[in-house]
Amino acid sequence: MTVDSVRRLGPAEWLISACGLWHIGLGLYFIFVRPALLPEDIRYMNLDATLLQATVPGLAAWLGKIFTVMGGFMAGAGVLIAYFGWQVMPRRLPGSLTTLVLAGALTLVLMSAVNFALHSDFRWLLLAPPVGWLLALGIYSREAAN
């Protein structure tokens, strides 16, 4: 398939690419902005923040490093997802739909499910990316059938 024969980006490709950009943004948030412990983290563990700091003084520094690594993985996955949406999906390569299903399940759906299990303050907001991903999968598979 030549570059000239690649079809234009449709809604599915834009939705997946947007999810990739969202991953990048979330990763950068985890690297540069997210504190080691959010109020909801302390609430979930049913601990006093002062007691936690006194008992485990290195926890915040350690979590900062862990979140930097996680953020890097999120942003890196986002780069690949956005590229996949912009360059791979329009080519309709075999295995694209399966790859999208697995990538979405292991990133967005799993993250959203865990945030619901934790009763995160952000759980409803974090439901939007998997819904967009599922919508993109439906559009992409319907277009493939046509």
Side-chain angles (χ1 to χ4, degrees):
M1 180 176 286
T2 67
V3 173
D4 294 334
S5 66
V6 174
R7 70 180 193 83
R8 291 181 179 260
L9 298 182
E13 289 81 4
W14 283 113
L15 279 167
I16 294 298
S17 298
C19 284
L21 295 175
W22 180 83
H23 269 86
I24 294 168
L26 186 64
L28 294 175
Y29 166 77
F30 267 73
I31 293 169
F32 297 112
V33 179
R34 190 193 193 282
L37 290 169
L38 296 169
E40 68 181 41
D41 300 329
I42 302 293
R43 194 171 55 243
Y44 180 81
M45 293 184 288
N46 198 25
L47 292 173
D48 176 74
T50 308
L51 179 62
L52 181 62
Q53 175 62 27
T55 309
V56 190
L59 181 64
W62 178 75
L63 285 173
K65 289 175 179 33
I66 297 302
F67 288 142
T68 297
V69 171
M70 282 178 42
F73 271 86
M74 289 175 195
V79 169
L80 292 173
I81 291 166
Y83 180 83
F84 197 91
W86 290 323
Q87 296 294 322
V88 177
M89 288 176 69
R91 289 175 168 75
R92 302 254 178 236
L93 298 175
S96 291
L97 185 61
T98 302
T99 300
L100 288 169
V101 168
L102 291 172
L106 292 169
T107 59
L108 297 173
V109 173
L110 182 60
M111 181 191 60
S112 187
V114 168
N115 275 277
F116 268 88
L118 294 172
H119 299 286
S120 167
D121 296 340
F122 305 100
R123 66 186 176 270
W124 294 105
L125 178 63
L126 293 173
L127 189 59
V131 168
W133 191 280
L134 289 171
L135 181 60
L137 289 177
I139 293 167
Y140 193 69
S141 77
R142 188 185 72 220
E143 288 173 351
N146 291 338

